[in-house]
Amino acid sequence: MPAALATLALAAQAVPVTVQLQGPNGQPLAGAAVAIEVKGRASRTTSAKAEMGQRDRQFTPQLLVVQTGTAVSFPNFDTVRHHVYSFSPIKVIDIKLYSGTPAEPIIFDRPGVATLGCNIHDRMSAHIVVVDTPLFARTDDKGRASFDLAAGEHVVKAWHAGQKAPTLQSLRLDVPAGGGTSVLALSD
């Protein structure tokens, strides 16, 4: 019995894991959204807040990753007004011409990808990726994101702007007891 308890304790301990995302041609996917779904972890939040600003007639950041239930504010730091919109299935947005910060943030209550635009400045675009887990990151310039995870099988949800579909891809992640790096390939 003590050996079984020791094994359970070891499995519950977090180990460092690096997920490296690659495209279909093996190239690293920089600036991709990656999330780890762990059984038994909360899928929604009621208190998280995030910001998708507008500065120099661009959205900042270009890719925002948030947990389902996050309240996102849209401050306009420019001297010109913007009209932020999204027709994405996970959240339709229409913030008419404004400057400053709209009074109410927008709650992103469904997982998926929302594509944003500005009705006034056509070159402005960005994405908000909403995931059902508090474990998420954007990949670095080598396509890597690091997490502390328990050994075992997990589900990775990932998306990058070069994909043809605006949906997150699901991939299996097997974390060995010692952690390490897992290379995962996304399709177009």
Side-chain angles (χ1 to χ4, degrees):
M1 185 68 125
L5 289 176
T7 302
L8 285 175
L10 181 61
Q13 291 179 343
V15 294
V17 176
T18 299
V19 173
Q20 183 172 21
L21 293 180
Q22 294 181 343
N25 297 332
Q27 76 278 15
L29 293 174
V34 59
I36 312 293
E37 292 185 350
V38 177
K39 291 177 186 168
R41 286 266 180 112
S43 62
R44 300 183 153 273
T45 181
T46 57
S47 61
K49 295 180 175 149
E51 185 176 282
M52 175 59 81
Q54 297 103 63
R55 191 180 308 272
D56 298 326
R57 295 183 183 161
Q58 293 294 322
F59 286 105
T60 180
Q62 291 291 298
L63 173 67
L64 177 65
V65 186
V66 298
Q67 185 178 1
T68 307
T70 299
V72 178
S73 62
F74 290 82
N76 179 355
F77 299 106
D78 285 334
T79 56
V80 297
R81 298 189 307 165
H82 293 294
H83 180 160
V84 176
Y85 70 90
S86 175
F87 299 117
S88 300
I90 69 158
K91 184 58 82 175
V92 173
I93 299 171
D94 189 25
I95 307 173
K96 303 262 187 232
L97 279 173
Y98 73 99
S99 55
T101 302
E104 294 295 321
I106 294 174
I107 308 293
F108 283 79
D109 51 3
R110 293 177 52 197
V113 179
T115 301
L116 304 176
C118 175
N119 245 352
I120 307 304
H121 306 99
D122 290 339
R123 65 180 171 82
M124 285 179 65
S125 67
H127 297 92
I128 298 177
V129 176
V130 184
V131 295
D132 277 339
T133 175
L135 300 172
F136 57 83
R138 283 178 36 179
T139 57
D140 65 14
D141 61 342
K142 294 184 176 144
R144 298 178 304 202
S146 295
F147 301 92
D148 289 326
L149 301 171
E153 184 181 320
H154 304 290
V155 174
V156 171
K157 297 284 184 136
W159 182 86
H160 67 98
Q163 283 182 213
K164 293 176 183 169
T167 55
L168 283 87
Q169 294 182 40
S170 291
L171 304 162
R172 181 177 154 167
L173 175 65
D174 291 314
V175 175
T181 299
S182 291
V183 178
L184 302 173
L186 296 184
S187 58
D188 278 338

